[in-house]
Amino acid sequence: MSSTPETGTSGTSASSTPGTGASDPVSPESRPHGAPAHDPRFPRVVIIGAGIVGCSLADELTARGWSDVTVLEQGPLPAPGGSTSHAPGLVFQTSPSRTLAEFAKYTVDKFCSLEVDGVSCFNQVGGLELATTPERLAELHRRAGYAAAWGIRGEVVSTARCKELWPLIDESVVLGGFHTPDDGLARALLAARAQMDRATARGARFLERHTVTGIEQHSGRTTAVVTDRGTFPTDHVVSAAGFWGPVIGRMAGIDVPLQPLAHQYARTKQLPELQDHRAEATRPILRFQDRDLYFREHTDRIGIGSYAHRPLPVDAFAVLPYDEARARNLDMPSSFPFTEEDWAPSWDDCRWLIPALRNAEVEEGFNGVFSFTPDGMPVLGESRQLRGFWLAEAVWVTHSAGVAKAVAEWMVDGRPSLDVHECDLTRFEEAQRSPMYIRERGSQQFAEVYDVLHPLQPMEQPRPLRVSPFHARQQQLGAYFLEGGGWERPHWYEANAPLVDGLHLPERDAWSARYWSPVAAAEAKATREKVALYDMTPLRRLEVTGPGALDFLDRMTTNNLRKKPGAVTYTLLLDESGGIRSDLTVARLGPDRFQVGANSPADLDRLARYAPDDVQIRDITSGTCCVGVWGPLARDLVQPLTRDDFSHEAFGYFRAKETFIGHVPVTAMRLSYVGELGWELYTSADLGLRLWDTLWEAGQGLGVIAAGRSAFNSLRLEKGYRAWGTDMTDEHNPYEAGVGFAVRLDKEFVGREALTDAPLTRKLTPLLLDDPAAVVLGKEPVYVDGVPAGYVTSASYGYTLGRCIAYAWLPAALTAGAGVHIEYFGEKVPATVAEEPLFDPKMTRIRR
């Protein structure tokens, strides 16, 4: 988990009885009691769940003029019994995810501005993370880098300063800490109430003890929410039900990839050291991540949360309704009995760090339930299967107001102002949506909450899940696999280890050497000098067909697609505000048939959402495969295997041809993302192994090798090729991102009008590290004149250039030759702004 899981989620209970089906209009006589007449100027919205997310969303929607908002809650208000009701309220803003950090920053700012009966909704006591090992201290320096990159105040502090901030700790075991003065404690129930009051004043209704029993729909859209106390007609339904999200999702026919888990929280008896305290909390919230623990003051007591215990998955469909939970002597549905056996090891660790606890006792404890997803991120957005059904799930108090703002913008304006692709509900592949996968990965996210995670670190289980047809051959070559989107992706091949002999590479530090091998340098060199095979199967492929396919794709994207069959075009998918939703490679294979190289399931969702009836879109990724054949000898390899002419004159750059390679029918596209001559060769999955073997056998005399993603990433950065989702998102316009060459303003396309006034105050900037031995990995802050001015997106060592390359978002005024510094584990590494492309600027190696 990449953020602050100490805080809880919102929630409401619902019956698991399916309630889908066509809805009849609700007559005035059947309108629920107290419901105002509908104002046709604004959509009707029903939010399921009056926890912190539901209340925040009602506030954000009504602030934007959508006043016909009804919030349904199965429990009593203002403490309905979901995760919000028991959340200890810790808010740490720093995260490896910029999106989560922005959500948290907004939440802190908003809650600081709210109060109820003169009491602030946020206690800004700050945060302190401790290191008791050298590895954790290094991690705290890395986290300080994230904070600087995302604009959060924070610094790594000495042991003595840690003792000043938290006098009860044993300073002899502490090596240092990371202090964030603007973090603190959210008073979640007060914040929910404050926002409930504001939303109510603007026309929203909050109805307690309304158990949702069904979601009605007609013609693929939501029409009403059914409860045990009436039916509520609506245009939009938002599930903010927290760990009950899967229950609500089932009613709508939507799978919600969310696993509830129980988490231990205990509170001590009064401590003599705190007996004079009168304030709720005055010291920073404390995290002891080396032992999976966190601490906060409760006046003269200390609250302690632990992630050190075994994962305790909870069945969302078995969680008791509020009244039944209370009848069974539970405080609330989200509070399970405390399991002493799980707590015992953590209690020993607590007393090791804080001597004052050695004679203390635990007064009370519980196992609180909240939500995890397979990747630890929230699940947000509108369902493709059921229009008008939105998810705002797996959201902790830390991010609640920020998420609500993004979802409200999404609903009202059509897009959030912040990039949320990491949270988009469409991000999970079909293979990642099984109940078993969600349970396993959700449980692992719990176990990894406080782990030091490398940015390339893959999940361990379930693997392998998705493999290309070449997998067996890759194993024979000693492929080192990492995982992405469920796919096993070779990053280098041990069979190429002998090629490292004679290479002179700088020694790497232990962190950057993880999930890296010098073999990657050898593979990059072989690609530049001979020819290599790259498995490009995981790249998403869509087939778009039909009489209206050309008009549709041309209208949806920025470049000119009105070319003859055989043309391939790099183009952009923008939103209405000119932000880059994706970059696409569109091959016109016939008058009405296109193959689209896309990035994520969200691209399919975007295109399918707007496709007219005479256009069919199909994801063909799983049924096909792709080999990239790249290098100066690529033509020597493929030409003898086909009767078609693969010369430059007959088969030019960015052209496509359907042909045969040996016995295998292929779609060959002359593209190169490594800056060398070559082709992408596509065929059906059943013929993939034959294609690989044909190419491998034919290339033996040419010195062909298999090469992995590590070399690929180095080579693509030497050419300045952008990676959507990493280097650019919908927060950026094409000119900022350096892909304005793919925009044709002389045609109509979605987002065109916004580009006429597109700002250019920042740009994606190539940097070369001055020291040939220095490396960075991505997300580090970049300093200009000693002040944080941007952050690194992609980085890799450029083996051809002999320098580490880093692309970063920086002020547009910076010009080539300007000096900057990149902070890497607390050290300022000098770098220089470079001209791009860094390698082969005249494209002579590709166009030959």
Side-chain angles (χ1 to χ4, degrees), residues 22 363 671:
E363 183 174 61
L671 307 175

Side-chain angles (χ1 to χ4, degrees), residues 481-499:
F481 294 99
L482 297 180
E483 181 272 343
W487 288 100
E488 294 295 317
R489 301 186 179 202
H491 273 242
W492 66 83
Y493 295 84
E494 287 300 327
N496 296 325
L499 301 178

Side-chain angles (χ1 to χ4, degrees), residues 670-745:
R670 187 156 171 213
L671 307 175
S672 175
Y673 289 95
V674 299
E676 296 293 336
L677 171 69
W679 288 264
E680 292 179 356
L681 302 176
Y682 298 87
T683 192
S684 56
D686 60 324
L687 291 168
L689 189 59
R690 183 60 179 263
L691 175 62
W692 180 279
D693 288 345
T694 299
L695 295 166
W696 186 257
E697 292 166 10
Q700 290 308 297
L702 301 172
V704 70
I705 67 161
R709 297 290 296 181
S710 187
F712 175 90
N713 198 47
S714 171
L715 296 169
R716 72 129 181 133
L717 284 179
E718 289 184 335
K719 286 298 295 178
Y721 294 142
R722 278 61 167 150
W724 186 87
T726 301
D727 298 316
M728 57 188 185
T729 68
D730 60 7
E731 286 189 31
H732 310 113
N733 70 55
Y735 307 114
E736 296 173 315
V739 289
F741 63 86
V743 177
R744 296 291 180 268
L745 292 176

